[in-house]
Amino acid sequence: MQTDLRGRDSIAPELEWTRDEIETLLDVAWDLKRKRAVGEPHAYLRDKVLGLLFFFTSTRTRASFEAGMAQLGGHAMFIDSETTQISHGDTAKEIGEIIGRYTDGIAIRQCDWNFGNRYIREVAAASRVPVMNMQDEVFHPFQILADLMTIQERFGRDLRGKTINVSYAYASSYQKPLSVPQSLILMMTRFGMNVRLTRPPEFDLMPEIMDQSRENAKKSGGSFEVLDDFDAGFEGADIVYPKSWGCWMTTEDKNESSVIGKKYTDWITDDRRMALANEQCVYMHCLPADRNIEVTDSVIDGPQSVVYDEAENRLHVQKAAMALTMR
Ligand code: CP
């Protein structure tokens, strides 16, 4: 167990934290989940303030960080990029310097392609307090930590030999970031799982993330394979995580990506596909999902779905990160 994470940034823990540090965060998350369940106070961050800076909309991330900070005895300060001087030119360095002097931690969601992760790192470089990544275009660490916690709740802490299918699914709403599938393949290959990435050829992920995932699988004794057949991805899987993402590696053009996406409208998770997986298989999705486009109601509302546990576990892993890094 690593007991000194004070001051650590969590921008890409799936890549940058040791396995021991990740296990420590999960231990604390389970303890905090238990404390909340039995009503045991845990105001570890009394009088502390967390700045929450959003460049994009959010339901779960905002609500869980705000609730978590209140439960830890502190305050979460919501900052919207559109209604502050950030929209008139406050730079990343200025935000790091200034908000860092008002607060004890800064959390940021900035998903612009080729910009978000760099922006968060620039804020961190200028900030005297730890910075947390609430999603950028490359990583979504707290979603994936919550997913890991959810998987371990279902299958135990030793995940070696379990098969997870991280799959593209069609959605009509917008060109979503690559961050969820990328953080998933990075994290799950570190835990000795058999990780499948199933996607149409236009929906590749970043090559450096793919290379790192292969390397992780080699080191952990797991495996990493890439498929392009939607049905095949379900076969024999213990966990399926089919969700939409954009074809960013093929085109950044919205219209072109929409035309490409329309070739794959049949990539929808339904009961027939779920029946191809193992009997105990769980269905996962970070939400929001495009219902009856990405996944049928019968699957997402069905007995194999753990989507609400994933959403709940956002609260516990984020509280653990705050308690460990913002003391
Ligand atoms: N899963 C997730 O990050 O949800 P929000 O976009 O609502 O925060």
Side-chain angles (χ1 to χ4, degrees):
M1 181 165 205
Q2 294 295 316
T3 50
D4 189 14
L5 288 166
R6 186 190 302 219
R8 278 289 292 277
D9 294 327
S10 25
I11 298 176
E14 58 276 59
L15 190 64
E16 294 164 354
W17 286 25
T18 65
R19 170 95 182 244
D20 205 18
E21 289 166 343
I22 292 169
E23 302 268 16
T24 299
L25 186 147
L26 291 169
D27 282 340
V28 175
W30 266 297
D31 182 50
L32 291 171
K33 187 168 185 174
R34 184 192 61 78
K35 284 190 164 80
R36 179 164 161 74
V38 298
E40 197 175 310
H42 47 277
Y44 301 143
L45 297 180
R46 205 182 291 285
D47 301 327
K48 304 261 185 187
V49 177
L50 174 68
L52 293 181
L53 171 53
F54 280 93
F55 288 81
F56 283 88
T57 51
S58 164
T59 305
R60 281 144 291 271
T61 305
R62 179 179 173 182
S64 54
F65 266 103
E66 289 194 8
M69 200 53 196
Q71 290 160 18
L72 291 168
H75 172 70
M77 177 175 63
F78 176 70
I79 307 166
D80 169 24
S81 68
E82 284 298 314
T83 54
T84 55
Q85 300 290 29
I86 295 167
S87 63
H88 294 145
D90 281 334
T91 65
K93 180 171 189 289
E94 288 161 357
I95 292 300
E97 277 282 0
I98 296 165
I99 304 300
R101 292 178 191 215
Y102 301 155
T103 66
D104 304 282
I106 305 173
I108 305 172
R109 171 170 282 191
Q110 168 43 283
C111 303
D112 284 340
W113 183 245
N114 276 334
F115 179 76
N117 185 261
R118 187 157 35 94
Y119 178 88
I120 294 173
R121 290 191 190 278
E122 279 179 33
V123 173
S127 163
R128 60 179 66 177
V129 299
V131 168
M132 284 164 243
N133 181 355
M134 296 195 291
Q135 189 179 18
D136 61 34
E137 83 281 28
V138 188
F139 306 107
H140 197 353
F142 292 108
Q143 180 62 54
I144 272 50
L145 285 162
D147 294 336
L148 179 57
M149 185 176 181
T150 308
I151 293 170
Q152 289 188 332
E153 283 172 343
R154 292 285 166 151
F155 294 99
R157 290 195 78 158
D158 182 0
L159 297 174
R160 286 175 296 180
K162 296 289 174 208
T163 298
I164 180 168
N165 177 36
V166 177
S167 177
Y168 170 81
Y170 174 70
S172 52
S173 46
Y174 67 103
Q175 165 117 313
K176 296 176 186 177
L178 303 181
S179 47
V180 169
Q182 295 199 147
S183 288
L184 272 171
I185 63 170
L186 282 173
M187 183 70 93
M188 302 314 165
T189 50
R190 294 183 70 185
F191 281 76
M193 298 182 76
N194 299 322
V195 179
R196 260 181 214 163
L197 175 71
T198 309
R199 87 291 169 261
E202 299 93 333
F203 289 82
D204 269 334
L205 302 181
M206 292 175 175
E208 59 273 31
I209 302 286
M210 299 287 286
D211 288 346
Q212 185 63 53
S213 301
R214 278 188 204 100
E215 189 63 33
N216 290 351
K218 246 188 247 164
K219 276 194 193 142
S220 73
S223 63
F224 181 59
E225 62 177 335
V226 181
L227 308 180
D228 56 13
D229 177 330
F230 191 51
D231 281 10
F234 285 81
E235 282 166 17
D238 299 296
I239 299 132
V240 291
Y241 202 131
K243 82 166 293 294
S244 166
W245 63 80
C247 49
W248 292 101
M249 303 308 297
T250 302
T251 179
E252 293 172 34
D253 182 83
K254 252 202 280 190
N255 296 328
E256 199 182 343
S257 75
S258 166
V259 171
I260 293 170
K262 283 197 175 72
K263 289 168 35 185
Y264 302 104
T265 53
D266 58 338
W267 285 52
I268 174 172
T269 303
D270 55 16
D271 293 309
R272 182 185 69 76
R273 266 118 184 186
M274 287 303 292
L276 299 173
N278 282 348
E279 211 175 324
Q280 303 304 319
C281 178
V282 295
Y283 167 84
M284 300 185 77
H285 196 294
C286 56
L287 304 178
D290 286 22
R291 277 175 175 259
N292 300 308
I293 296 172
E294 278 185 277
V295 54
T296 60
D297 285 339
S298 63
V299 171
I300 198 168
D301 295 328
Q304 289 168 285
S305 173
V306 293
V307 296
Y308 299 126
D309 292 337
E310 294 175 77
E312 176 184 341
N313 286 336
R314 293 291 303 273
L315 177 72
H316 309 302
V317 296
Q318 289 159 196
K319 283 168 71 178
M322 290 189 275
L324 286 163
T325 66
M326 287 174 60
R327 285 183 298 124

